[in-house]
Amino acid sequence: MPPMKTDPNPRMPYQHPNPKEALPDIVIAEAIPMDERIWVPQGENVWFRPLCLNRSQGYWMNLLRVRKSGVLSRHRHPQAVHGLVLKGRWFYLEHDWIAEEGGYVFEPPGETHTLVVPDDVEEMITFFQVNGIMYYVDAFGEPLGFEDVFTKIDMCRAHYAKVGLGEDYVDQFIR
């Protein structure tokens, strides 16, 4: 392979326009918000903070915050999930590892697991990218429900309307 050319102006911005069909960037200065209204309730002592809700590709990226110990949910993913633990720790009953602060987790497609927050953890926050759906099941695989990017958007609209931010507050995260 021939050597790559050297850029004579590495600090000069790109001089051509981006494609007009390109979506705008999402830049969130305060990803872990001080305003509690931004956290969308998902269950008792469980919230999520949307970062990107991609309706055209069917994935979402959010922070999951849990302020309780015990079983959060048992679920299956038909597509890959990526997680980065920002605070606290958690584990799956089906595995012998623990996801700890600063740790990264890759969840392969097809896996079913039961998320547990240990008793001594007061708060857990994990950044997740979820592709496709979260398919909730009982211990024998019987369906209990699901979430996808569209149910997440609906939850956000209802919550933001209720807390006075307006249901369109979520639009800034939708692509």
Side-chain angles (χ1 to χ4, degrees), residues 26 56 92 94 108 111 127-128 134 149 173:
I26 297 175
S56 64
Y92 288 133
E94 296 79 9
E111 183 172 290
F127 167 77
F128 280 110
M134 299 248 314
V149 69
F173 310 118

Side-chain angles (χ1 to χ4, degrees), residues 71-75 92 113-116 134 136:
V71 173
L72 182 61
S73 73
R74 181 183 306 102
H75 55 273
Y92 288 133
H113 40 241
T114 310
L115 195 152
V116 178
M134 299 248 314
Y136 296 102

Side-chain angles (χ1 to χ4, degrees), residues 31-49:
I32 300 177
M34 298 300 290
D35 185 345
E36 284 294 317
R37 299 175 303 164
I38 295 173
W39 291 98
V40 179
Q42 187 167 309
E44 186 180 342
N45 294 314
V46 180
W47 301 264
F48 72 94
R49 191 269 199 257

